[in-house]
Amino acid sequence: KKTETGAICEFFLTWRKKCGLAPVTPLGVAKYLLGVNARIENALAVVPPVEEEKRHWMMDPIIVMTGAAREFLIEDQKILTAFDFVHTRTKDLSLALAAWRERKGFVPLKGSGKVAMISGWKATSKESLELESATGRVLTSDEDLEGLQLSDTPGAPLEFSPPPAKKRQISYTPRGSGKSEDLDVD
């Protein structure tokens, strides 16, 4: 039995594929959609105006960070965007993480644990950035929307039927040949 969240993730993945967006993992989609949900909940819970610092991370893909990751990155390191986080040296962050964990009274991470932790957080942020910033095509026709239908019954499980695979042709010009060839792609 599929959960509603699982069905929404499948729906989102199918939509991305139809829009010509790069493939992403179902786990990344789930984290991203939970981050969007967190943004909505945060927006509804705060009385405007929100401080500038909070507004930055609430409206950025870095919102997918939870618990210790959010506390360390946003509150301690003041890294408010996923872009800034991904482009900060992992080595520098791992040293700051070790010091932060010590100040918090957490057990020190052994070996490459702190680098692995930062790298895992970066992978999540990169995937969230991709989900947030990718470009694709706009679905406009009924044919485009085929297979993306949801059940009309409130509370009913979401139904998902993938569309049949279609081939499309692209023009390709091999380097140096000057002659264009048509290729079928899935």
Side-chain angles (χ1 to χ4, degrees), residues 4 150-159:
E4 193 170 280
L150 296 177
S151 171
D152 292 335
T153 311
L158 298 174
E159 295 174 15

Side-chain angles (χ1 to χ4, degrees), residues 32-180:
Y32 174 73
L33 293 176
L34 288 171
V36 169
N37 181 53
R39 288 183 210 181
I40 293 168
E41 287 178 2
N42 281 330
L44 294 173
V46 280
V47 178
V50 177
E51 316 86 53
E52 181 75 20
E53 185 176 295
K54 190 167 190 174
R55 201 171 336 152
H56 268 48
W57 71 261
M58 282 175 53
M59 300 307 296
D60 189 84
I62 202 166
I63 198 158
V64 299
M65 295 290 111
T66 58
R70 179 179 292 171
E71 189 178 337
F72 169 70
L73 295 171
I74 295 166
E75 295 172 19
D76 187 70
Q77 296 297 297
K78 305 295 185 210
I79 296 175
L80 304 177
T81 67
F83 181 86
D84 290 343
F85 172 48
V86 167
H87 290 89
T88 302
R89 281 187 45 195
T90 302
K91 175 76 173 171
D92 296 340
L93 288 169
S94 70
L95 295 172
L97 177 64
W100 176 78
R101 288 181 62 85
E102 188 176 319
R103 282 193 313 274
K104 290 290 202 176
F106 295 145
V107 176
L109 297 170
K110 298 186 190 258
S112 61
K114 49 191 183 291
V115 170
M117 187 174 279
I118 297 292
S119 295
W121 293 346
K122 279 189 173 188
T124 299
S125 289
K126 284 176 187 175
E127 199 160 37
S128 185
L129 272 169
E130 164 60 27
L131 284 162
E132 183 101 350
S133 62
T135 58
R137 67 185 187 89
V138 176
L139 302 180
T140 56
S141 70
D142 288 341
E143 185 180 312
D144 285 341
L145 300 174
E146 183 182 307
L148 295 179
Q149 305 305 314
L150 296 177
S151 171
D152 292 335
T153 311
L158 298 174
E159 295 174 15
F160 171 75
S161 57
K166 295 180 185 175
K167 291 196 181 245
R168 59 186 171 106
Q169 278 196 334
I170 60 169
S171 291
Y172 169 72
T173 305
R175 196 177 281 176
S177 76
K179 185 176 178 185
S180 179

